[in-house]
Amino acid sequence: MAVTIHEVARRAGVSVSTVSRALAVPDLVRASTRDRVLAVAEELGYHPNRAARSLITGRTGNIGVVVPDVANPFFSAVLKGAHARAREAQQVVFLADAAEDPRVEAELVAAMGKQVDGIVLCSARMGDEELERSAGTTPLVLVNRCSPGRPSVLLDAADGMRQAVEHLAALGHRRVAHLRGPERSWSAGERLRGLRAAAPACGVEVVELGPFPPTFEAGLPAADLVLASGATAVLAYNDLMALGVMNRLAVRGVVMPAEMSVVGFDGTQVSAMTTPALTTVAAPTETAGRAAVELLLDLLAHPGRHSDVVRTLPSQLVVRATTVPPLPHAVRAGVPAPLEALS
Amino acid sequence: MAVTIHEVARRAGVSVSTVSRALAVPDLVRASTRDRVLAVAEELGYHPNRAARSLITGRTGNIGVVVPDVANPFFSAVLKGAHARAREAQQVVFLADAAEDPRVEAELVAAMGKQVDGIVLCSARMGDEELERSAGTTPLVLVNRCSPGRPSVLLDAADGMRQAVEHLAALGHRRVAHLRGPERSWSAGERLRGLRAAAPACGVEVVELGPFPPTFEAGLPAADLVLASGATAVLAYNDLMALGVMNRLAVRGVVMPAEMSVVGFDGTQVSAMTTPALTTVAAPTETAGRAAVELLLDLLAHPGRHSDVVRTLPSQLVVRATTVPPLPHAVRAGVPAPLEALS
DNA sequence: ACACCCGCTGCAAACCTTTGCAATGTGTGC
DNA sequence: GCACACATTGCAAAGGTTTGCAGCGGGTGT
């Protein structure tokens, strides 16, 4: 069916070894021979059979990417970056969607292990031991999560939180609600940590709500909690939840941003598309995907060398239209502003 | 290193053939033997080496999915569906992002061919001949595009357009703008065709604008064109563009939906998240992804059998908050309503 | 009681490539 | 002129699985 190395060898009048070497280690074969072999290979459109190659070398040329949800714009951005970098290195990317389920996640990582050279695992929800177990000996790079002894690419969520809180404090907000992300999520913990660390210094009181799943739908009921909390601004776990909050606020007749400032997180594309445009903490998601693959390739080339590198990418607050100073009486009262008070 | 079939065979006290059969064709081995083998395999965590298997069977167990842009929510939804179905069939999905470039697209399809059993190609931008050439002998299923002799999964865009126009007509709109999608896009053509076919019957006059790239950014300037066109409603090529339009309308101070009704297309998640929520023609995108993989698996199981099946999935208009009757004077005048007229 | 068939299992080839080792031939240093 | 080094090439094994064919029993039909 397909053209094999034997066919090329036969036509070029050399042995298969020579053909193999002409393609893989050109220096080992005489220039004239190499040229002839290459010409024949080109003419026949020969490409080495990857299965046969990986059977003997043990390398597949594939790298796996596991995300909790491809439809989440944050992850599709990471995926895009990872794919781009992998392609530059002639590697193929295998995608796996864990459907936000730690069990599926572990299963996928374990199953993938045999078919790829390494895995980029995004926002792992599973625990450290489980990670250890399912990854086994497969090289693994974590994104948005860290685990002892494993290389990872982190987005500086804590600092992003600091920027967001300082921004709100500067606007005059004194009571701010935070919508926590998934309990098992490392980055949710980071964001919370950053918030707790920065808020006191700014004189901001934080009302922690949640944890919630990181979805638009979760943002809807969360908005009501926020309103009931007496906060004048809300820091959502991510953009999706922020959108949910905005939506529900509109339904409740709350004027945004005047009566409630909203800050998202991740800087996804959609955050720029809403009206009013969402203030958000942008992270270089696509870059993170690239960096993760970069790290992985490095790890494959020099096993053990960079086994505990942690690369942290900076977050950047993007101020748009959803954050404004709070209404004066809301700040003084520290309680929900009754709707009547506004008319 | 990894546990092989030989190890399992040795421990179970049978030959490798028996192990292989116990896993692949259980009926061929005696129940008691099978159970013993399966138990040992389970205990050792044996999984067949895919490289070795594909070397002999000629099948890789991988299916490729090529999309113009993973970050586009429409495609990430298709991808999600495809991945889910593939996983059920124990197949791995191998992703490729063509970056909206027909050349990259062709290149990816060609390169992928050797490493997968078949390819799902979404919204192919390349021409029929180019498609033929790059696909070669690789089984291919098209999504949102049709090409003679190739199976495809289509979303009934034309009918979706009909529903949208009839909806607008029923609301009283008589002059409607349409923002055309990418020129080479099959579905853009379909939508236009459906619109042209349905509009006259509803007494609706159509102003065709574009073509535009299918992005949020393209929607911004398009909004100005719409305002200048004297239309009272706009049918955007997709949700992303509709969001762009909404954004720009807000900036221009146009009250939405009162002064301008907006209809999106695709029914992406974000369409439900805007305020006001976007009326859109929802397509079963995830189902389309599933169906495409389904078709592909069928094609692989029975080569040539379904080589020209076209499966069309229905579109469904989802009426939300962005479509209302036009302002009376705007309809009569058939020209842009000056802002003063509204106050 | 004999021939035959069928259920179950094992043997061994084949899939295509890479790579260690050996063989061949050419050139260099003494 | 001889030994040795080195460049170039070929041989053959190995990698793990699937599968056609054959073998070995036990059971059935006559």
Side-chain angles (χ1 to χ4, degrees), chain B residues 238-250:
Chain B
N238 69 4
D239 290 340
L240 252 30
M241 293 189 68
L243 291 191
V245 169
M246 288 169 68
N247 220 271
R248 181 65 185 162
L249 289 180

Side-chain angles (χ1 to χ4, degrees), chain B residues 182-198:
Chain B
E183 194 147 23
R184 315 291 305 261
S185 158
W186 178 85
S187 72
E190 264 320 88
R191 289 171 199 193
L192 187 58
R193 191 177 64 74
L195 178 59
R196 286 176 179 166

